[in-house]
Amino acid sequence: MRAVAVLLVLSGTLGCSESAVLEPSDRSAGLVAETPGSSEVGVITRNLYVGTDVDAVIAALVTDDEGDDIPALMAAIETLGRTDFPARAAAIADEIAEAHPHAIGLQEVSQIDLTLPPLGVDIHQDFLSTLLAELNERGLAYDVAAVVQNIEAAPFPGVSLLDFDVLLVKRGIEVGATTAQNFSNNLGTVAPGVILKRGWVTAIVTIDGTELTLASTHLESGNFPGFAELRAAQAQELVGALDPARPAVLMGDLNDAPGSPMYQVLVGAGFIDVWRALRPGVVGNTCCHLDDLSNKLPDLEQRIDYIVARGLERPHAGLIGKVEQLGEVPADRLTGPVSRIWPSDHAGLAGKLRLPTLVAGL
């Protein structure tokens, strides 16, 4: 099977530097408590994790050796069974029940259909409907405000994977205009039947009289030459679509570290890294546990999941609120089919930020 080139060559400069990172370095470490009765917006960002190493299957598909395709697929299916999304969805629903956010940004919301009778495989999973059912069981009513389809993979008959970004908003919150958009800069077709796209979702919501934009995205992954610039271009396209006159909270798996070109784009657009602002000096890595989620201790070596905000800070104080990780301590592990497993290969983030309506004059 012929190899397919997947690298993009991007030109131009980003126009900002590491020194442009603005953060209130004099804040004390830890969480900042809310004032009783204060108006705030609560959000969660959660990469649900497809449940297996899809990149390994793609790598087999792009080689000239067709003999490695089915073994790679079967290894991925075996891992998928070990990572048991229905059980993980229940754990993630428990996280949401505890945090009670106004909105949830979800990445790697997968729809998996595997029908291979000769191999004894018959798997059908719809991550979104499974998670919504778990939320409903807990009396939590969230509506799908926006959804965008990203990755499409159907390399063999009977094998289909669709990937989505989803923005959930608590029922009863006023939702205005929404957006679901794929980036103009994407990898595209990387193997027969495999199209890699990324995108974003937004919703304009009104919370306690304050109108703001909520956005969620999943930028391209990988460390090949040109990929850092690709993520920066994707971030630039997204922030360029957001009205700078309206406060905004952007969340997601941004697949790059603080100080990266992507990060510089966000800072240059006026966004504040919520973790760095409210938890200065705390590393806060979010990625990644083992593919089969079986590691007993956290194995998080990168901070690539973020909540960033613009227009919610105020003079002399910056952002007020709190932010914490989800699924990063051994007590968060759950019982899987073979071993104890983590809710996702990423840690999530839950944040609450004070809205500007009640902070005037402070």
Side-chain angles (χ1 to χ4, degrees):
M1 195 171 290
R2 65 184 181 87
V4 181
V6 299
L7 304 182
L8 295 181
V9 178
L10 302 176
S11 60
T13 59
L14 298 173
C16 53
S17 65
E18 179 68 22
S19 62
V21 177
L22 304 177
E23 57 191 28
S25 57
D26 58 342
R27 300 190 64 86
S28 60
L31 304 183
V32 179
E34 308 101 309
T35 301
S38 63
S39 182
E40 62 189 14
V41 55
V43 299
I44 282 178
T45 183
R46 210 55 168 110
N47 182 315
L48 297 184
Y49 180 46
V50 64
T52 193
D53 186 359
V54 175
D55 288 343
V57 179
I58 295 175
L61 290 170
V62 299
T63 68
D64 293 326
D65 180 7
E66 296 186 7
D68 62 1
D69 295 352
I70 294 300
L73 176 63
M74 294 307 296
I77 291 172
E78 180 182 3
T79 302
L80 186 65
R82 290 172 174 264
T83 56
D84 192 3
F85 181 72
R88 296 193 290 114
I92 291 169
D94 287 340
E95 295 173 350
I96 295 168
E98 184 173 353
H100 283 288
H102 295 94
I104 307 159
L106 300 172
Q107 306 89 41
E108 286 191 33
V109 183
S110 302
Q111 185 175 311
I112 301 170
D113 292 288
L114 303 170
T115 306
L116 301 167
L119 302 176
V121 175
D122 189 21
I123 299 172
H124 304 279
Q125 295 183 352
D126 186 328
F127 283 22
L128 181 57
S129 64
T130 299
L131 180 59
L132 289 174
E134 291 289 346
L135 293 174
N136 287 335
E137 284 189 13
R138 290 157 178 76
L140 303 174
Y142 284 86
D143 295 320
V144 177
V147 57
V148 62
Q149 181 181 310
N150 295 319
I151 296 171
E152 304 173 39
F156 311 109
V159 175
S160 174
L161 167 65
L162 299 177
D163 167 85
F164 302 87
D165 291 334
V166 177
L167 182 63
L168 301 180
V169 175
K170 185 181 291 186
R171 190 166 301 160
I173 292 176
E174 181 182 342
V175 178
T178 63
T179 301
Q181 182 69 44
N182 291 117
F183 293 111
S184 58
N185 289 294
N186 272 307
L187 295 180
T189 300
V190 299
V194 180
I195 303 172
L196 297 188
K197 297 182 293 182
R198 304 293 186 178
W200 78 88
V201 287
T202 71
I204 297 173
V205 302
T206 302
I207 299 174
D208 293 339
T210 298
E211 186 179 86
L212 68 157
T213 301
L214 301 176
S216 181
T217 190
H218 189 181
L219 304 185
E220 191 54 70
S221 63
N223 296 313
F224 295 104
F227 276 40
E229 291 77 14
L230 171 59
R231 285 186 287 272
Q234 291 175 337
Q236 187 66 65
E237 185 175 352
L238 171 52
V239 298
L242 304 179
D243 184 352
R246 183 184 298 113
V249 178
L250 167 61
M251 55 197 129
D253 174 2
L254 306 188
N255 270 316
D256 227 331
S260 65
M262 172 281 300
Y263 193 87
Q264 303 278 357
V265 167
L266 296 180
V267 170
F271 282 91
I272 293 174
D273 178 347
V274 171
W275 183 269
R276 185 168 274 187
L278 299 182
R279 306 293 297 270
V282 181
V283 175
N285 289 341
T286 62
C287 181
C288 289
H289 297 303
L290 293 179
D291 292 338
D292 67 358
L293 307 178
S294 67
N295 48 297
K296 295 181 180 180
L297 297 176
D299 193 22
L300 305 173
E301 298 181 345
Q302 306 172 74
R303 186 161 79 89
I304 61 175
D305 299 84
Y306 297 85
I307 299 171
V308 299
R310 181 174 67 185
L312 298 183
E313 69 278 9
R314 59 196 191 279
H316 315 300
L319 292 174
I320 293 293
K322 64 181 183 180
V323 62
E324 62 183 347
Q325 290 183 305
L326 306 171
E328 88 289 6
V329 297
D332 295 324
R333 297 164 73 218
L334 57 135
T335 301
V338 177
S339 65
R340 300 280 289 177
I341 58 176
W342 299 88
S344 172
D345 65 335
H346 288 235
L349 293 174
K352 290 184 179 179
L353 299 174
R354 191 89 63 85
L355 291 171
T357 49
L358 297 182
V359 298
L362 292 184

